Structures are given as structure tokens and as C-alpha cells.
Amino acid sequence: MSEEKSAVPAWEQRFRAARVSLPDWAEDAPERALYVSNASGTYEVYAWDRVTDTHRRVTDRPNGTTDAELSPDGEWIWWFDDNDGDEFGIWRRRPFAARPEGADGPTGPDEEAVPGLAPSYEAGLALGRDGTVVVGRSTDEGGTTLHLRRPGADRAVEIYRHAEYGGVGDLSHDSTLLAIDHTEHGDAMHGAIRVVRLPVDGDAVSTVAELDEVTGCDEPRGVACLGFAPLDGDTRLLVAHQRTGRWEPMIWDVATGVETALVLRDEQGRELPGDLSAQWRPDARSLLIEHEYEARSELFSYALGEGVLTRLETPRGTVGGATPRPDGTVEFLWSSAAEPSAVRSTAGTVVLRAPGAVPPGSVPVEDVWVDGPGGRVHALVQRPAGAGDGPFPTVFEVHGGPTHHDSDSFAAGPAAWLDHGFAVVRVNYRGSTGYGQAWTDALRERVGLIELEDIAAVREWAVASGLADPARLVLSGGSWGGYLTLLGLGTQPELWSLGIAAVPVADYLTAYGDEMEALKAIDRTLFGGTPEEVPERWTASSPLTYVEQVRVPVYISAGVNDPRCPIQQIDNYVERLEQLGKPHEVYRYDAGHGSLVVDERIKQLRLEIEFVRRHLGGAAVGENRAGTEK
């Protein structure tokens, strides 16, 4: 490594290093693929011709692009065009065909992919092999609408509308059937599926089958579409369900109504714990099974005829996505907390790695289980390398979602705090996924307060074990994690030394009025009603309610175009901090729910580090170290 390169601190190298997503290939042209990369300094969509191994950036926007799909024939790249990260826009498309050798950037002019559809929030897209298109849209005024355009038609026609949130599930291989994921029953945490026959030559849409395990059920169970079998005339739909108290796949023949349970046991005949998902292999005779358990994941192949489950070799860590290829191999995006991500193959090769230097690694995670008020809480703990036994200044990095979880995967943010001498603790509180439906569904009515009880239990362990210095504890997070940070500073003021909240919910009642409709539906489900129906619950869960009790300095960053945690409700909270004379700092930037620009991400973390240095003292924040080269 050159002196110039090594002069860049390790934490910044991790952010600047190029990275790639899992490539998505065209169904009828598997040599053509799309992926997202930050190689240009901004996350954009790239095309990959696997025959010639040529890579080309195909979008170029100041605030980046991440939502894109490839048509089944590989001829067209569809991408979602919003306004500076506000997630409100339209689909555009451009040809896949390569530019002259050595050229980069867009290929020809973009065109509006489905003329006549006004901008909206994206609610799914299905591209048929015959040219059929189904576009899902969500707006505050119209709820969810789905629009169908058949080949040769000059416009799309509306085929579905409902006030509650839903979206495109999947289009059958012959474009005759459409699976719709919906929450018409009003429970946004547990979806249902409707399969309809699409109209031809002016016919009406007709319902073929329904799968709803919420309406009229004492214990709601969610179902979700995983995809139709990849064969013409095949009416089998792969579905995820929660009938056993966790996510599992099954096959549902929507024409006959026959449901086929999948018996998924390992080589020793043991049932796999944790959540399971699946996708069809191209031959439609077998499935790729994704198994997620205790913050890690692995892959299996399942032969439908024989009912045999075979483990696929993957390193210990997290599979961030996998795709079965026509040649029988499986490609997957893998990383661990210690090792950066790469696209690997079950053939034992690295299929795709971003150009340039591999970023420095970090330290592995330790698993900790703590008894909490709602059951055992799983936390992932990292200690700064070579810094002794502690106690350390400690960052509690709270994940977003809330229906998400922290995993043993590579993350530049936590690694940066480790480089500066901090321990990092990440808590999979109640509401997190990956620990069964009961753990996720426990987050009801006392929203925010439930998660903070689990975080406080882990904090008590961290201090008692000698890991964390109780005088140097930082509560931090983004999105829902930012919300929990502000709520924790007000409801647990004696537990924390500082708070860092990125794109948070700060004033819940105002946030509800301004946020996108899909999140309103989730909020109504979590709270058990609207702010007018159960005002006491909303007030009890809003950080603004407790702002007077905040004792420590707080840092807030926010995107001015954010549709998920809108800027006005953050401004309301900041204004109240100012009125009360509470120490705080605010950074606003021109983007939505986070930034896709590498320099902007680095700037934000640098501002957070400087904030902590000022308020905890320089000795609490070590100088940048070289990091671990991989």
C-alpha cells in the first residue's frame, strides 16, 4: 500500500472502498445482469455483460440510484427516478446495449417507461416475458393502485385500488396471473395474498385464489408472495407463511388450492431453527432455501421430488442475498463483521468484487444473551482490537426497522467506532426479525418503550460485565434507531452520556401526518389505531413528550427530502431543545432517508466523531489507527 493510501484512516478507507450488490440477471438472457455500486463515489446502477466481462455505469444522478430491474429478455434496464431521495417518482427505462468500448455512463436517452402514470411512491414492478408490465403505485390520496399495460397497448389501465397498503407480488411465467400482496384487512404487519387472472382483450380482472390468515383469525399470521414457478402454465406459487410461529416456505397451487408443506430438516434429521425463505431454481424442480438464525444465515438446496435438503457451503457470517443460476450454481453476497463483502459462488470462486483496493477488515462479533423483561435478548458485541479488557467507552448502535435485525455482517459505521477505541453493542430488541413471530409481534401499543427495556437490560449487562464505562455511553441509531435514541434520552436520561440520532422520528404525531402512506399503515398497526383513536399511546411513545427530561447533549442529522422521517417533525423537536436551552447540534443535508453519496456519508460520520470528542473529551475518542488490512 502506498504512503498516500495508508495516510487515509482505516475507517475512511472502508467508506471509500467500492462495493457491489448481488447481481440480478435477466431470466431469458442470464449473461446480462445489473448491480448497484458506489465505484463512482455515489451508489448507482451498473450493467454487466458476463460474456465479455464488461461493466458499465448506466445511471448518473447527484443523489444516486438504487432501484432498478432488467427485463426478462435483457434488452431494457428499468430504473426508478425520484427527486433527490424523496422516493416519489416514475419508472424510466433505457437499452442495455453497450456503448463503444471504454465509454461509461448512460446509453442513449431515457424514456418514460409507462407514459401516463403520475409520480408516486413505488409499490412493486413486474415485467413479463411477453412484454406485459404491472406497475404498483402508492400515494397519500389514492392508497395503493396497480396498473397493467399489455404488449402493444399505448397506455396502462388500473386493475386494483385499495386505501390500505399493498403491492405487486409476482407475475406468472406466461403473464396470465398476478399475485398481489395486500393488507386490506388493516393489519400492515401481517400481509395477505390475492391471485387474479389478468384481462385480455377487454376482459375484467377475475380473482383466482385468496390466502388471508388475518381476517377472522384470533392469532394473525402473515403470508407473502415469493414467486410463481418459472414455467409456462405452471400455477404453483411459492409462499412464505407464519403458521408455525416463524417464517417458512410452502407451495400453493393457486388453480387447485392444494398446499404443499415443505419438510426442511438438516442432514441429521433435525428441524432448522429460525426463519426460512425460498426461491425457485430455474428448473422448477428444486428450491434454494435461505436459513436465518441468531443473526447469521446459510443456504440449502431442496429437491422437491425427493424431499431432500442439501447444505451449500458458505462461510460463517451473513448471506446478504442469493440467486440460483441456470448452470446449477448459486451466487451469493457474503460478509461477516470482520470481513468485507464479495459476491461468491457455491463453485468456490469470488464471482464479483468491486474494483480497487479491498477495504480494511474489522473485528469479529461476540454473541451475548441477556435476560430481559420479555425474554432472552440477543446482542452482538465488538471490542476494540488490542485495547485490553475494558471498560471501554461504548456505542450502543440501535438498528432501524423496527422489523429488521442486526447481523454478523460487515458495516463501516461500527468499524469506525472500534477504530476510535469504542466498544460497539447492537441489540436485537423485541420487534426485531429472525427470532420468531412472537418476538417481532411483541412490539405493540407501547411502541418504542418496549425496545428500550431490552436495550436497558443489555446496557446493565455491559456495565456489570466490565465491558462498558457507565460514564461514557453513547446511544446512537438511524431511522427507527434514531427514534429510539431520542426516546431513550428522554425516558432513560440517567443511562446515557450522549445521543446521536440520524433521520429519526422526533415528534410522532407530526411525523404521522407528513410521512408516506405505507408507513402510516404500519404505525396504525403498531399503535392499534390512529392518533385520534388512541392519542395516549402516541403521546407516550413520542420523543417530543420527554424532551424536558433530556440531560445530555444530542446530535441530530436529517435529510430535508425524507418521506419516512420528514423534516418538519425534526424541526419541532429541535425548536423545543432550543427553547429549553438543551445542548444539541443539528446537521441537515440535501437528500432523503440517508445519503447515497460516499463523501456525504464520510462527512456525517466525521461530524459525529467530532461531536463525541467535544463532549466526552479527547481521551475518550482515540486517534485513527491503521486498521486491519485484508
Side-chain angles (χ1 to χ4, degrees):
M1 179 174 290
S2 68
E3 290 186 8
E4 181 181 358
K5 183 70 173 180
S6 62
V8 178
W11 73 264
E12 187 173 331
Q13 291 178 41
R14 295 190 193 97
F15 277 93
R16 294 202 179 281
R19 61 193 65 195
V20 294
S21 68
L22 181 71
D24 183 23
W25 51 275
E27 184 177 6
D28 295 332
E31 73 281 0
R32 291 186 168 187
L34 292 182
Y35 61 87
V36 173
S37 176
N38 64 336
S40 68
T42 301
Y43 285 86
E44 296 286 2
V45 179
Y46 284 72
W48 178 22
D49 186 325
R50 300 180 66 140
V51 173
T52 60
D53 195 27
T54 54
H55 303 255
R56 176 175 49 83
R57 178 168 49 86
V58 294
T59 56
D60 184 11
R61 302 196 302 155
N63 284 308
T65 314
T66 58
D67 291 342
E69 277 200 42
L70 197 53
S71 62
D73 60 8
E75 293 297 320
W76 291 95
I77 297 169
W78 290 58
W79 61 278
F80 193 72
D81 183 13
D82 68 351
N83 181 33
D84 291 336
D86 66 359
E87 302 181 45
F88 199 80
I90 63 171
W91 286 99
R92 299 190 183 277
R93 70 173 193 167
R94 63 174 48 141
F96 185 95
R99 290 167 59 90
E101 184 175 355
D104 193 18
T107 303
D110 286 305
E111 62 183 46
E112 191 173 343
V114 186
L117 293 184
S120 68
Y121 297 114
E122 188 264 327
L125 174 70
L127 304 178
R129 296 167 65 245
D130 64 349
T132 295
V133 175
V134 181
V135 178
R137 302 172 63 253
S138 175
T139 63
D140 294 341
E141 302 80 16
T144 300
T145 58
L146 304 185
H147 304 261
L148 169 70
R149 190 183 70 183
R150 285 294 196 183
D154 58 359
R155 65 185 183 90
V157 296
E158 183 180 303
I159 58 171
Y160 175 87
R161 176 181 289 268
H162 200 277
E164 296 290 347
Y165 183 71
V168 176
D170 193 32
L171 189 63
S172 65
H173 201 253
D174 56 11
S175 299
T176 61
L177 303 175
L178 176 71
I180 302 170
D181 287 315
H182 70 84
T183 59
E184 294 177 8
H185 43 57
D187 183 343
M189 300 292 287
H190 303 95
I193 301 173
R194 176 175 301 127
V195 178
V196 300
R197 187 171 302 279
L198 295 177
V200 179
D201 298 330
D203 295 343
V205 174
S206 59
T207 297
V208 174
E210 299 264 9
L211 192 59
D212 179 351
E213 303 191 345
V214 176
T215 304
C217 299
D218 293 334
E219 294 186 22
R221 305 292 191 188
V223 293
C225 172
L226 297 177
F228 278 103
L231 293 174
D232 279 351
D234 197 327
T235 55
R236 292 177 299 166
L237 182 67
L238 195 57
V239 170
H241 67 88
Q242 293 180 309
R243 292 175 179 175
T244 59
R246 60 167 185 172
W247 284 109
E248 292 183 22
M250 74 172 184
I251 294 175
W252 176 36
D253 190 322
V254 301
T256 65
V258 173
E259 298 176 359
T260 303
L262 305 178
V263 180
L264 303 175
R265 298 182 183 275
D266 65 14
E267 295 90 338
Q268 285 75 44
R270 298 171 301 192
E271 184 178 81
L272 296 174
D275 287 335
L276 297 158
S277 186
Q279 47 184 306
W280 294 98
R281 282 182 174 268
D283 60 11
R285 296 192 299 270
S286 57
L287 304 175
L288 174 64
I289 304 294
E290 300 167 54
H291 175 224
E292 186 176 272
Y293 181 55
E294 294 185 350
R296 293 172 181 86
S297 49
E298 58 185 345
L299 300 175
F300 295 82
S301 186
Y302 183 73
L304 291 170
E306 298 81 11
V308 175
L309 189 69
T310 304
R311 186 186 302 271
L312 303 178
E313 190 61 36
T314 59
R316 179 175 169 83
T318 295
V319 175
T323 180
R325 295 281 294 170
D327 64 2
T329 62
V330 174
E331 295 175 355
F332 57 95
L333 184 69
W334 178 90
S335 72
S336 71
E339 187 171 345
S341 64
V343 179
R344 303 183 178 212
S345 169
T346 51
T349 60
V350 173
V351 176
L352 180 64
R353 196 189 292 276
V358 177
S362 189
V363 299
V365 296
E366 306 168 30
D367 295 275
V368 172
W369 291 89
V370 176
D371 289 332
R376 295 177 72 225
V377 185
H378 187 201
L380 301 176
V381 175
Q382 291 170 283
R383 304 168 188 264
D389 297 327
F392 305 104
T394 300
V395 174
F396 273 69
E397 186 72 27
V398 185
H399 74 71
T403 51
H404 185 56
H405 67 273
D406 276 315
S407 62
D408 181 7
S409 57
F410 195 75
W417 289 111
L418 290 161
D419 283 2
H420 285 83
F422 282 74
V424 176
V425 179
R426 291 176 285 171
V427 181
N428 284 330
Y429 49 74
R430 278 171 288 172
S432 300
T433 54
Y435 300 88
Q437 183 185 353
W439 190 256
T440 303
D441 286 359
L443 180 55
R444 293 294 182 109
E445 299 183 2
R446 295 179 58 250
V447 177
L449 305 173
I450 289 172
E451 305 95 293
L452 287 168
E453 289 175 351
D454 294 342
I455 293 169
V458 177
R459 178 206 178 274
E460 182 179 354
W461 165 86
V463 172
S465 69
L467 171 77
D469 180 348
R472 297 183 293 173
L473 286 175
V474 180
L475 186 60
S476 176
S479 191
W480 195 266
Y483 158 63
L484 293 177
T485 295
L486 296 184
L487 188 63
L489 296 181
T491 61
Q492 303 169 335
E494 71 286 355
L495 299 187
W496 310 106
S497 308
L498 291 175
I500 300 174
V503 290
V505 175
D507 169 6
Y508 221 136
L509 276 73
T510 299
Y512 177 80
D514 293 345
E515 70 190 4
M516 59 200 305
E517 177 57 36
L519 295 186
K520 290 181 181 179
I522 293 175
D523 284 341
R524 290 192 296 270
T525 299
L526 290 175
F527 284 101
T530 66
E532 293 74 26
E533 293 167 337
V534 286
E536 70 286 352
R537 295 177 187 168
W538 290 76
T539 300
S541 293
S542 178
L544 187 61
T545 302
Y546 309 97
V547 66
E548 288 86 355
Q549 297 170 210
V550 174
R551 300 179 185 174
V552 300
V554 55
Y555 176 90
I556 299 173
S557 61
V560 297
N561 302 316
D562 192 344
R564 297 173 181 265
C565 299
I567 193 67
Q568 182 58 57
Q569 52 94 27
I570 292 173
D571 288 342
N572 293 348
Y573 186 89
V574 171
E575 181 180 356
R576 189 65 183 131
L577 286 174
E578 292 172 348
Q579 292 171 351
L580 294 168
K582 306 280 186 179
H584 67 280
E585 296 179 26
V586 182
Y587 173 67
R588 299 174 179 85
Y589 55 93
D590 185 19
H593 198 61
S595 176
L596 298 175
V597 179
V598 172
D599 281 343
E600 177 61 37
R601 291 187 175 189
I602 292 170
K603 178 181 180 181
Q604 290 178 25
L605 187 52
R606 184 175 287 117
L607 289 172
E608 292 175 4
I609 291 170
E610 292 172 354
F611 172 80
V612 173
R613 178 177 281 118
R614 283 194 298 275
H615 292 284
L616 286 189
V621 184
E623 296 301 317
N624 295 316
R625 297 197 296 274
T628 304
E629 300 296 341
K630 290 282 186 179

